[in-house]
Amino acid sequence: MTQSFVLHIPDAELEPEPLAPGQIVSGTPEVTGKVVWESEDGRQVRGVWQITPGVVTDTEADELFVVISGSATIEVEGGPTLTVGPGDLAVLREGDRTTWTVHETLRKAYAINL
């Protein structure tokens, strides 16, 4: 998108973003998302992301996000354990290896720098 815009995050329609089977630790979590803006060089991405309950692992990008709804515990390998819920802002560092335990379907708005 090249123009300014507004998006009501709770009602945003999201598309399936399947997890790699090796990322799923337990449960049957499903991920959906929507990129709402990307820089011309592809190094900055803004969007909405959602995951249903379960436990998954990930290796993070440089990301700032705000939780819109739901809750999760994010264990950062060799670092803190983050408990996030509605209204929380979190920052993940590039290369962080994380384990997400999603308690309630979590929806977040994010800004990633690659």
Side-chain angles (χ1 to χ4, degrees), residues 58-78:
D58 200 9
T59 301
E60 304 297 336
D62 176 20
E63 178 181 3
L64 175 143
F65 67 86
V66 176
V67 176
I68 305 304
S69 59
S71 64
T73 303
I74 307 164
E75 295 176 54
V76 179
E77 187 177 288

Side-chain angles (χ1 to χ4, degrees), residues 12-29:
E13 290 188 33
L14 308 178
E15 299 292 326
E17 295 182 358
L19 290 163
Q23 288 183 269
I24 300 171
V25 175
S26 68
T28 54

